């Protein structure tokens, strides 16, 4: 598993793909937070808060994480190297977990430049340091867990696909449905009392608690369950390709 993790990380950073993705992610976030005229602009909000960043980032991650995960298995199958991996002395579960961890690590690294935003907001606060650090750090923890969930879904999409384009499109679709689609469907209140259950199936409500600075064991357990289910299903579909 560690060998697979190192191999995947080298494939991301060795050909500049990870650097380009991290740079693009940071540039888009910076433009929306400080330059573009929109509801996420920190200067227009007039508050020493990164709340708009934590609202914006999940939407960016819906496109970034599938871009990272699309090649994990779809490319291996497309190029024929998946059969070579099957011949190596490692379990499929180790292969899936190693690739999942590599996507998760790169996804977390996308958040590192945002520490500059945190410092900027901290300094611009009146008085200086007038920022809710508990809510901010809780939101960062929520993002790290959300990245893991998106990574698991992306790995599953790649294990189901024959090529990278299909893996990317399926990954974006699945992440969108899990984060926003289910929440939006529940908001129509078409199912009566079942809307609450439907709402809690999606990512949004469980991530929302973190953005308020609340680290609830139920939310963590939910994401662990989703990640575990995604990896188990990925393991199943990859085994079927042997």
């Amino acid at each position: 598993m560690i060998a697979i993790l190192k191999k995947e990380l080298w494939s991301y950073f060795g050909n500049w793909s990870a650097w380009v993705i991290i740079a693009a992610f940071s540039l888009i976030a910076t433009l929306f937070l400080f330059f573009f005229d929109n509801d996420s602009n920190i200067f227009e909000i007039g508050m020493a808060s990164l709340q708009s960043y934590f609202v914006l980032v999940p939407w960016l991650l819906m496109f970034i994480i599938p871009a990272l995960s699309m090649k994990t298995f779809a490319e291996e199958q497309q190029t024929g190297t998946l059969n070579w991996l099957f011949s190596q002395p490692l379990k499929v579960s180790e292969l899936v977990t190693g690739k999942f961890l590599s996507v998760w690590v790169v996804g977390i690294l996308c958040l590192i430049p945002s520490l500059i935003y945190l410092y900027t907001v901290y300094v611009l606060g009146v008085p200086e340091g007038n920022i809710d650090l508990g809510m901010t750090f809780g939101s960062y923890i929520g993002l790290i867990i959300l990245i893991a969930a998106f990574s698991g879904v992306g790995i599953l999409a790649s294990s189901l696909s024959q090529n990278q384009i299909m893996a990317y499109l399926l990954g974006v679709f699945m992440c969108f449905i899990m984060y926003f689609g289910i929440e939006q469907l529940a908001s129509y209140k078409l199912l009566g009392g079942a809307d609450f259950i439907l709402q809690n199936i999606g990512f949004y409500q469980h991530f929302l608690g973190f953005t308020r600075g609340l680290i609830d064991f139920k939310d963590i357990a939910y994401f662990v369950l989703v990640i575990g289910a995604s990896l188990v299903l990925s393991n199943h579909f990859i085994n079927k390709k042997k």
Side-chain angles (χ1 to χ4, degrees):
M1 185 181 70
I2 298 299
I4 293 295
L5 173 59
K6 291 179 179 179
K7 169 185 171 295
E8 291 296 311
L9 288 177
W10 174 251
S11 71
Y12 285 125
F13 290 99
N15 62 6
W16 297 95
S17 59
W19 300 107
V20 171
I21 288 175
I22 293 172
F25 180 89
S26 302
L27 177 61
I28 294 171
T30 300
L31 292 174
F32 273 95
L33 291 176
F34 295 100
F35 295 98
F36 289 166
D37 185 12
N38 64 93
D39 294 336
S40 298
N41 191 298
I42 290 176
F43 294 125
E44 292 187 6
I45 293 173
M47 293 177 59
S49 172
L50 280 180
Q51 192 65 22
S52 58
Y53 174 76
F54 299 119
V55 172
L56 172 66
V57 167
W59 291 94
L60 298 180
L61 291 174
M62 283 183 208
F63 299 93
I64 295 294
I65 299 301
L68 291 168
S69 63
M70 66 181 183
K71 77 181 198 67
T72 49
F73 289 109
E75 183 186 46
E76 301 280 11
Q77 184 170 352
Q78 198 172 3
T79 58
T81 55
L82 188 60
N83 290 328
W84 176 80
L85 286 173
F86 287 152
S87 67
Q88 302 304 304
L90 71 152
K91 300 176 182 177
V92 173
S93 59
E94 295 172 339
L95 179 62
V96 170
T97 306
K99 287 180 176 288
F100 160 76
L101 290 175
S102 68
V103 176
W104 189 17
V105 168
V106 178
I108 292 173
L109 291 177
C110 288
L111 303 180
I112 299 299
S114 70
L115 296 178
I116 298 174
Y117 311 149
L118 176 59
Y119 175 75
T120 302
V121 172
Y122 184 89
V123 171
L124 292 178
V126 180
E128 182 176 320
N130 183 27
I131 181 174
D132 189 338
L133 293 177
M135 184 182 70
T136 302
F137 289 124
S139 299
Y140 271 113
I141 292 173
L143 278 181
I144 290 172
I145 296 175
L146 184 65
I147 290 171
F150 280 156
S151 299
V153 172
I155 292 290
L156 176 59
S158 186
S159 70
L160 289 167
S161 305
Q162 302 294 325
N163 58 71
Q164 294 187 67
I165 296 176
M166 183 184 294
Y168 178 73
L169 294 176
L170 182 59
V172 171
F173 175 75
M174 291 170 67
C175 288
F176 174 82
I177 291 297
M178 289 302 296
Y179 182 77
F180 183 73
I182 293 176
E183 172 68 20
Q184 191 66 19
L185 182 62
S187 69
Y188 293 137
K189 302 189 183 301
L190 301 175
L191 303 177
D195 284 319
F196 175 77
I197 298 175
L198 179 63
Q199 196 174 45
N200 280 277
I201 293 176
F203 292 169
Y204 181 79
Q205 284 298 319
H206 296 280
F207 173 69
L208 195 61
F210 289 100
T211 63
R212 294 168 178 165
L214 302 174
I215 302 176
D216 194 326
F217 174 77
K218 292 180 181 178
D219 294 328
I220 296 175
Y222 164 81
F223 281 114
V224 170
L225 180 63
V226 168
I227 295 165
S230 298
L231 297 184
V232 168
L233 288 173
S234 299
N235 186 80
H236 170 70
F237 290 119
I238 295 301
N239 266 313
K240 290 182 67 174
K241 295 180 180 182
K242 273 191 171 182

